[in-house]
Amino acid sequence: MIKNGTRLQSQVCDTQVIVVRSADSLDDLRAGGVPMVPIGTDASGDATLDPEFSGGTVMGKRYVDETGAEVLVTKAGAGTLSVGTTALNLKEAKPLPASD
Amino acid sequence: MSISLLLEMAASSNPDRTAVVSGELRLTTSELSELADGGAGVIAASGAQHAAYVGTGGALLPLLLFSSARAGVAFTPLNYRLSEDGLRQLIDRLPTPLVIADAEYRDVVVDAGKQVITSDEFIAAARTAEPAAEFPDSDQVAVVLFTSGTTSRPKAVELTHNNLTSYVTGTVEFDSADPADAALICVPPYHIAGVGAALSNLYAGRKMVYLRQFDPNQWVRLVRDEGVTTATVVPTMLDRIVSVLEAEAIELSTLRNLAYGGSKVALPLVRKALGLLPDVGFVNAYGLTETSSTIAVLTPDDHRIALAASDDAVARRLGSVGQPVPGIEVQIRGEDGTVLGSGQAGELFVRGEQVSGRYTDIGSVLDADGWFPTKDVAMLDEGGYLFIGGRSDDTIIRGGENIAPAEIEDVLVEHPAVRDCVVVGPEDPEWGQIIVAVVVPAQGAAPDPDELRSHVRVHLRGSRTPDRVVFRDELPTNATGKVLRRELVDELSRAREKQEKLRSRT
């Protein structure tokens, strides 16, 4: 299982994420339909963004799947995050008032 | 996740936004980031394994937090009000530290036998240093804070990068602040709220305006000059701000949100503040050093609803600390460890990623399932609102009966002749401990002790009635408003011994 705190990048868009809560499902984490790779890895040249997964990611938002996995977008990009072909969901947060 | 990433995200999204205003110094997010890289270079080049700071904070606090993180060492802001000896004892407990000190505190730490650099020298060196950028592991310690040690030797609380980033990302939406938002920060740098403020406001994209030494008139001036929208104060600060606002009608038109916490705020003061600032949303924040700041929040809506409520159970929530923040679980346990239901008072246990519960030289005090004993007496109501009844160490055992001082204090402080009060339990040969109420009278009032005792008696069980009531002009508190109960108990015990000696002579 991928480690919490691991930083990953997309091979086909600008998206970067950090794993906040790991789960086995994240072994098949994709952005833009293509597997994400550790930050700093060279992208495999032939991959292209799948139009089915081009909804984009939002900077600073958390995305979750059904199994409890959670990633935080540290750089936004054009691809959609998915596990296999199931898109991750944006985690809605109840806004809290500033307290410190 | 490292706290460095919080700054990296803020700097990449809003490089030109003003991040910090501290006296004459103004830094944009990208300037703060570059300076932190340089600062990391200065720390790395010193060979230090720890960074310590003695001073009043301001921009130095976020700068040193992130410089230390990027140098891969832990950071400890120290209480600049401590004596030379007190500071040295704490510094000696840190592994090979580089000590950064404001110029006025340099002399206090220069003989501690460590590398010392002044804050100005540090900033100057950071501007030209070869940058360093380590990526610390999530489980590495980012910040070590010493507890105030009002009752025992200060404990060194270890907060990991994961504790702090879990708190920030779990309670703050990235870049959610309005571009015009500004937070006024006047909590001391060595307090967990000071660390929390630097991280969460940066992540929210809110300008941080520092007031390095609290003064109520300066506070009001800064709110107006810098268009401050949110601020956090400890009880003693709120009390002084309220006094200024009572003396002169001042409009704080930009202020939307005022948080208070650090220690318990008496209800009459909360009501007075709400009345003076009807358009401001009040937030009661409860947290501990060991929990990386806030774990429960009473929101502005909670305040309004409680104030307007005719239902007693809802009205009472004005005195609660609200509900747990996301990612925090709470349990109230009885003395035998069983989990208690709503309405029953016991010890508060909390669990979550932001909870450290680990101390240097002591290790983790979490139980097998990850629960942290807060040592606070607490109760949950039917709606899940959390009520804090003081420290369990402060519990008075009189004639075999456990008495929470907070219960009596809450009643006494509502008496019109009482401005402030604290209830303590000095030792007593007959009862084990007795109940002594130390009262600061309201201005111009000269309350009769028996009248105050009967005021308590009609509201609480007879066994809660103070054996004695003594008067003081003010209560001894530390800088964050915590009442120094130990000091009062010692004072009362000494006075009693003296009296007994006199008596035995006659």
Side-chain angles (χ1 to χ4, degrees), chain B residues 337-421:
Chain B
T338 50
V339 178
L340 304 177
S342 61
Q344 290 178 282
E347 183 178 354
L348 175 66
F349 280 70
V350 299
R351 182 165 74 172
E353 288 285 313
Q354 73 184 73
V355 178
S356 149
R358 173 174 285 279
Y359 307 92
T360 310
D361 300 333
I362 297 174
S364 173
V365 299
L366 303 185
D367 72 11
D369 298 315
W371 292 93
F372 172 70
T374 63
K375 296 212 169 97
D376 274 337
V377 178
M379 187 202 79
L380 285 164
D381 75 3
E382 295 278 334
Y385 283 76
L386 185 64
F387 290 76
I388 303 296
R391 305 291 293 163
S392 58
D393 300 345
D394 297 334
T395 300
I396 299 169
I397 307 172
R398 182 188 188 278
E401 193 173 351
N402 283 9
I403 296 157
E407 196 184 351
I408 304 167
E409 289 159 7
D410 289 351
V411 169
L412 260 182
V413 80
E414 297 285 357
H415 191 283
V418 175
R419 177 180 168 82
D420 206 353
C421 71

Side-chain angles (χ1 to χ4, degrees), chain A residues 3-5 7 16 18-21 59-62 72-75 91-100, chain B residues 1 5 8-9 12-13 135 137 167 169 171 173-174 196-197 200-201 203 206 232 257 283 285 293-294 297 326:
Chain A
K3 241 184 102 197
N4 283 344
R7 297 181 69 179
Q16 291 183 359
I18 184 160
V19 176
V20 174
R21 190 165 295 115
M59 175 68 172
K61 292 290 180 193
R62 290 173 291 161
L72 174 74
V73 172
T74 56
K75 197 173 179 196
K91 185 174 181 177
E92 295 293 347
K94 189 178 86 177
L96 279 179
S99 69
D100 52 17
Chain B
M1 182 168 174
L5 188 57
E8 190 183 313
M9 288 169 71
S12 72
S13 282
F135 284 97
D137 191 73
Y167 168 62
T169 62
T171 60
E173 274 298 289
F174 178 73
S200 45
N201 286 304
Y203 194 69
R206 199 178 292 118
T232 298
N257 192 319
V283 180
S293 200
T294 310
V297 164

Side-chain angles (χ1 to χ4, degrees), chain B residues 41-55:
Chain B
V42 175
I43 295 169
S46 76
Q49 289 169 37
H50 203 105
Y53 170 63
V54 181

Side-chain angles (χ1 to χ4, degrees), chain B residues 260-379:
Chain B
Y260 57 93
S263 52
K264 192 176 171 76
V265 180
L267 267 188
L269 177 59
V270 174
R271 285 195 215 101
K272 211 188 271 182
L274 284 162
L276 284 164
L277 298 167
D279 300 324
V280 172
F282 281 77
V283 180
N284 186 2
Y286 166 73
L288 296 93
T289 307
E290 291 90 334
T291 61
S292 312
S293 200
T294 310
I295 51 174
V297 164
L298 188 75
T299 68
D301 279 346
D302 290 331
H303 279 82
R304 283 183 204 112
I305 292 166
L307 257 190
S310 50
D311 178 354
D312 260 3
V314 178
R316 215 173 288 137
R317 288 179 185 157
L318 193 61
S320 78
V321 296
Q323 294 178 298
V325 300
I328 284 290
E329 297 171 272
V330 300
Q331 268 186 0
I332 313 291
R333 295 191 193 168
E335 271 172 38
D336 59 358
T338 50
V339 178
L340 304 177
S342 61
Q344 290 178 282
E347 183 178 354
L348 175 66
F349 280 70
V350 299
R351 182 165 74 172
E353 288 285 313
Q354 73 184 73
V355 178
S356 149
R358 173 174 285 279
Y359 307 92
T360 310
D361 300 333
I362 297 174
S364 173
V365 299
L366 303 185
D367 72 11
D369 298 315
W371 292 93
F372 172 70
T374 63
K375 296 212 169 97
D376 274 337
V377 178
M379 187 202 79

